[in-house]
Structures are given as C-alpha cells and as structure tokens.
Amino acid sequence: MKYLFFTNTPAQAHQYRQAVAGLEDRGHEVLVLARDYGCTEALLDHYDLPYEIFGRCETQKFSLARELPKHLARVALKARQYDPDCVFGRGAYAALAGTVGGAPVVLVDDSGNTDLDHAISVPLADAVLTPHTFDKDLGEKHYEFRGFKELAYLHPDEYEPQADIREKLGVADDEEYAIVRLNAFGSHHDVGEAGFTPAKRRELVEALAEEATVFVSDEGGDMDLNEAPAQAFDLHPALLHDALAEASLLVADTQTMVTEAALLGTPAIRSNSFVGEDDMGNFVDLERHGLVYNLREFDAVLDAATDILADESAGQRWRNLRDDYLDDKVNLTEVLLDVAEAIHATDRIDRIGGVTHREGRRFGLESVRSDGGRSR
C-alpha cells in the first residue's frame, strides 16, 4: 500500500518518523509531504525520511495565511500524482489530500482550540485520533488513545537517549543545567496568544543562571544572548530531546516541549496566555499528576524554578512520577502502524489495542485548574 504523511511542524516530523520507518519495514511505500517550518526539513534529513516540501512558512504571525492558497494547490497536485491508499496528518492539508486522492484520511490531533480546522477537516476524515485528555467531542469518527502524540517517539520502547549529550553540550557530569524554550507564536492557533516579554525573558535567564548553566532554545531567534548569562542551544535539533532528558529543569512559554519534558521525567514549568480556566487537557492532566507546573504569573514561575533547582531530590522524584504516569499509556507508533493497516475496515479501528471509540465522552477538567493544581 501507499501511505502519505503530513509533517507541518518539527514535532510532527518526530511524531511520524517511527511509523514511516515501520511501514517501510513492512513492505509499504511511504511519502512525507512536509512544510518547511522551523527545523522540520533538518529533522527529515537527519532521520532519512522520504519527503517532498509542499511549501514554506515563517515563524512570524500571519505567514501561514499568506502562503496557504499556494500550499493547498501544491498539496492537491502532489496527492493526485502520488495517489495514496491512506493519508495521515491533521487539518486541511490531510483532508484535502485524501479527498483529491480518494483515500481514507486519519487525523491525529491534540489541539482543542482549532475550531476552524476541525470544521473543515473532520467531515472529510475517516478517523480522528486524539489523546484521552482531549476535551472536545468530534463526533462518530472520534477515537482516543491513552497518552499523547509525543509518545510516538518518547515512549520507553521507542526512545533511547544518547549517552554523550553532556559532552556535546560542554557540561560536566555533575553540572546542573536548565533549558529555556521560547515560542515564536507564529502558528495560526497562536494568534492573539503570548508568552514571556523580552524583559521577562532576560529576568528569567538571569535568575536561572544563579543556580545552573542555562541553554536557550529560541524558536523565533529574537532574544539577544550576547550579554545574557546563557548560551544558545546550538546542537542539531534532533539532539534536543537528549539534552532535555538530562536537564535539571525546563522553563517554557511554548507547548510541545513541556509535554516532552514530562514524558522524559524532567521538571517542567509552562507559562503563557493559554494557561487558565480553559487550558488544554494534556497540561491539566500532567499537572494533576505532578509532572508540570502551569503558571500564568511570572513571579510564580521564578519561585517554582528556583525551588526545583535547589531541591537535590527533584530529578529522581520526577522520574518516579513519570514512570507511574506511563504505566498505562500506549506506544503511539504501534497504534499508528495498526491503524494504518486496518483503516480500510474502519469498524476494526476500535478493536486495535490502545484505541477506543470516544462515543461522546469528554475529558473531565472540572476538578483541577491550570494555575497550580488548585480545586475549584
């Protein structure tokens, strides 16, 4: 069979890379259609995936809106030429490709705040897979798995850290270091949202530098580190998870890396305008289980960060919490491989281990607020 995968972001390149390799090992033909955004192409090259670029998108706001018509035209052409038997992705790109190619569409989605995307893509999909924490009912095609999309590449059965990452970073075996991840807020679902201001970025780095070596991963490349007590994370982006696994702390105003840190057992603090009463279910659940802090107030971020870095037992405690949390979570790559080979018999999807039909159920957020775990 011929499978078509969409990777619109670096995180999606990671999400599907193991499934692409697995399908090829099973004798199938696979093509990845990729959007040149951030380090997506560098990751596809690093993992030697079969891909073509359908368009480019800058990290600045509204870049996607300018490029979208060209993207859709190229996606339609590529899908017609490739003639896939099944399409994996999310949003309008995957839905259009499946419609043009006459192929079943499987959407793997964890963003509950993209109503327009869902309105366009879900009616054209054959199955929608979401994490168990997804707080939205997408109808009769909605299936869920226990876990997150990041478990396609960070599940213990899939992820093996590089042992020499500290040497590559230039830090000693016993040296504490923190990673600060800064969001460009350039995606369409980031419009109207914000994270740390330039002044708070500087204050955060200075506070962390008093306790640990600081590496900054700045998606937008906006922070001037020339006079800051920190250094840029300048290794290949494929090594970022290895660095994150060894870190004493992650502080971020972005989303995906916070989930990744939690699944690696690294203490993580998340602070942006998404945090609050209507926060996303995955972050509320991770906070509920003690793996992340969702903090809107900057002073609370500084307090929590310094407390974690001062706690010699924090690292082991977080790893224990991670192990307990992952005990009943799926290896998403295995789920995707099974779905890929069962999609032409859609009534079999909910017979796949780790997948259940949503049947109108929603994830309960009522007991925890995303501001430090306080009950309502």
Side-chain angles (χ1 to χ4, degrees), residues 128-302:
V128 185
L129 303 180
T130 70
H132 67 290
T133 57
F134 191 84
D135 188 38
K136 194 174 183 180
D137 181 6
L138 296 179
E140 62 182 11
K141 305 170 186 177
H142 190 173
Y143 299 85
E144 71 178 27
F145 56 90
R146 286 199 64 78
F148 306 118
K149 61 180 176 58
E150 292 83 2
L151 284 174
Y153 53 97
L154 292 182
H155 189 278
D157 292 342
E158 299 291 342
Y159 174 68
E160 185 174 344
Q162 291 202 25
D164 62 348
I165 189 62
R166 283 184 171 270
E167 180 181 346
K168 292 179 183 297
L169 287 170
V171 296
D173 290 345
D174 59 350
E175 184 175 349
E176 282 202 303
Y177 68 88
I179 296 176
V180 173
R181 173 64 170 175
L182 302 174
N183 196 354
F185 288 92
S187 299
H188 67 284
H189 54 260
D190 290 330
V191 173
E193 305 295 344
F196 298 125
T197 64
K200 288 179 178 176
R201 290 179 174 190
R202 179 61 180 257
E203 186 177 351
L204 172 64
V205 166
E206 290 177 347
L208 294 178
E210 294 181 3
E211 308 293 336
T213 300
V214 181
F215 294 95
V216 176
S217 173
D218 183 3
E219 185 182 38
D222 299 321
M223 185 171 181
D224 184 3
L225 296 177
N226 288 330
E227 297 182 2
Q231 53 189 298
F233 179 85
D234 57 4
L235 301 182
H236 192 282
L239 299 177
L240 187 53
H241 297 133
D242 300 314
L244 188 57
E246 278 285 303
S248 299
L249 174 68
L250 170 75
V251 182
D253 61 7
T254 187
Q255 314 281 40
T256 299
M257 270 190 66
V258 173
T259 304
E260 291 171 339
L263 299 179
L264 290 167
T266 298
I269 299 170
R270 166 177 168 264
S271 182
N272 54 38
S273 57
F274 289 103
V275 173
E277 293 288 347
D278 298 319
D279 207 349
M280 287 164 274
N282 59 320
F283 296 112
V284 175
D285 198 47
L286 289 170
E287 182 176 58
R288 178 183 288 163
H289 288 84
L291 286 164
V292 306
Y293 288 102
N294 299 303
L295 302 170
R296 192 152 182 152
E297 297 300 323
F298 185 66
D299 287 346
V301 172
L302 295 181

